[in-house]
Amino acid sequence: MSEKNQPISGNDLARFSGPNTFMRLPAVNALAGLDVAVLGIPLDIGTSWRSGTRFGPKQVRAESAMLRPYNLGTGAAPFDGLQVADIGDLAINTFSLSDSLRIIAESYDGILKSDVKPLAIGGDHSITLPILRAIAKRHGPVALIHVDAHADVNDEMFGERECHGTVFRRAYEEGLIIPSKTYQIGLRGTGYSADDFAEAAGWGFQQFPAHELWGRSLATLGAEIRRDIGEVPVYLTYDIDSLDPAYAPGTGTPEIGGLTTPQALELIRALRGLNIVGGDLVEVSPPYDTSGNTALTGANILYEMLCVLPGVVYR
Ligand code: MN
Ligand code: MN
């Protein structure tokens, strides 16, 4: 038996009981000794349509009580190789988006200085810009795997340059990511013009629209991306609205014709072996998630991300 932190077993303590941490892992304040920190960023003031992602971290943690430590699909035993804990929520300023983004970047500076890999539960997608600012400060420009219905490359919305729809244009302008190693997967929906995504493609972003992925396994695409990235540090950002609303209805800006849950698993599982330096799962909005399925799916996606981090043991 490993001496590392383990989730509380559903055979020892009823799943509807115990701490509301990710997978009922220990809640800790100190970063020392951790390999991976799961944290919540309960922010929804960067959204443009439905809100509610402020409740995302609490609900994803609640649904994660269902998860067991071993990945029967891949053989991953993440808690045998990595010391993982839940470090709680960042104390964002819910009256100020710009102040919240500053708080996120500063908090991440501290986490990354301690050599801890962050896995964030959002929150709307605006959290990823300050995260990438801190990540690039630590690692230099990173490869980016961005799974989303939307490219999030607006120049501004209502005159605001920092919100959930502008993240990856800012990241490109600020040199936080390697454009030719930025992969946008699952793009779709209606647009404002025929070339909504074209400018970002011109920067070098590699785009994989959902309709080109319908009915296909994503294992091959994932393997191609893994080879293309090589040894470069990579950040993984997963917008739950990449999935079809049939699977993940509880989100702010749903788009029909999205990825399936098995495709989500295939893609993440193919990324094993990459130098992943952090990740996030964003845009789960519990008020629109009447069955809890969206938060449950989000919890599983975070778990699958954990299972492909460097240092995971496979059985
Ligand atoms: Mn997004
Ligand atoms: Mn989206």
Side-chain angles (χ1 to χ4, degrees):
M1 190 66 191
S2 169
E3 286 169 21
K4 294 187 163 60
N5 294 339
Q6 297 290 322
I8 295 173
S9 168
N11 295 331
D12 293 335
L13 181 68
R15 296 197 183 284
F16 38 83
S17 189
N20 191 35
T21 56
F22 185 70
M23 293 182 71
R24 303 194 298 176
L25 285 161
V28 307
N29 295 315
L31 293 164
L34 292 185
D35 297 308
V36 178
V38 180
L39 70 154
I41 309 182
L43 179 123
D44 64 3
I45 55 177
T47 47
S48 53
W49 176 226
R50 303 164 170 176
S51 60
T53 56
R54 66 179 61 186
F55 301 112
K58 264 205 160 80
Q59 200 57 36
V60 169
R61 286 185 177 108
E63 294 292 342
S64 76
M66 180 70 197
L67 299 178
R68 307 172 190 87
Y70 293 97
N71 190 327
L72 293 172
T74 68
F79 305 102
D80 291 5
L82 298 172
Q83 179 72 323
V84 190
D86 190 323
I87 61 168
D89 287 349
L90 299 189
I92 57 132
N93 175 353
T94 199
F95 300 125
S96 167
L97 179 56
S98 58
D99 194 36
S100 293
L101 301 192
R102 177 191 63 76
I103 290 165
I104 295 166
E106 288 177 4
S107 303
Y108 265 68
D109 284 343
I111 293 168
L112 296 169
K113 236 176 240 151
S114 304
D115 262 329
V116 178
K117 287 203 167 77
L119 283 184
I121 315 169
D124 71 60
H125 220 155
S126 54
I127 68 170
T128 305
L129 179 60
I131 291 173
L132 286 173
R133 285 173 175 152
I135 290 272
K137 200 193 279 187
R138 178 75 179 168
H139 297 285
V142 290
L144 181 76
I145 299 173
H146 171 209
V147 193
D148 200 329
H150 312 98
D152 296 346
V153 290
N154 289 288
D155 187 27
E156 56 177 47
M157 300 175 87
F158 306 100
E160 297 292 332
R161 292 172 56 79
E162 296 182 346
C163 67
H164 80 154
T166 64
V167 174
F168 302 102
R169 179 182 290 263
R170 294 290 95 76
Y172 163 72
E173 289 170 347
E174 295 177 23
L176 311 178
I177 54 179
I178 303 167
S180 64
K181 291 190 190 297
T182 294
Y183 310 83
Q184 299 191 303
I185 301 156
L187 306 180
R188 64 188 186 273
T190 46
Y192 290 106
S193 72
D195 56 357
D196 273 10
F197 301 148
E199 190 182 359
W203 304 334
F205 286 17
Q206 301 192 48
Q207 297 174 331
F208 303 89
H211 65 85
E212 292 180 7
L213 306 174
W214 288 342
R216 279 182 48 191
S217 164
L218 294 197
T220 312
L221 174 63
E224 283 168 7
I225 289 172
R226 191 184 63 218
R227 272 195 299 276
D228 198 38
I229 290 177
E231 302 299 312
V232 175
V234 53
Y235 187 81
L236 183 50
T237 182
Y238 214 108
D239 186 327
I240 197 74
D241 72 27
S242 56
L243 291 176
D244 192 273
Y247 303 100
T251 191
T253 43
E255 306 281 1
I256 65 163
L259 305 183
T260 66
T261 307
Q263 283 181 312
L265 300 184
E266 286 170 336
L267 177 64
I268 298 171
R269 289 175 181 183
L271 304 180
R272 177 181 168 188
L274 284 175
N275 180 17
I276 298 170
V277 295
D280 59 55
L281 181 278
V282 299
E283 299 282 354
V284 171
S285 178
Y288 294 93
D289 189 21
T290 51
S291 68
N293 247 10
T294 313
L296 175 66
T297 304
N300 274 276
I301 286 174
L302 276 166
Y303 172 75
E304 294 284 340
M305 286 165 64
L306 179 64
C307 286
V308 294
L309 292 182
V312 166
V313 173
Y314 283 77
R315 303 279 180 215

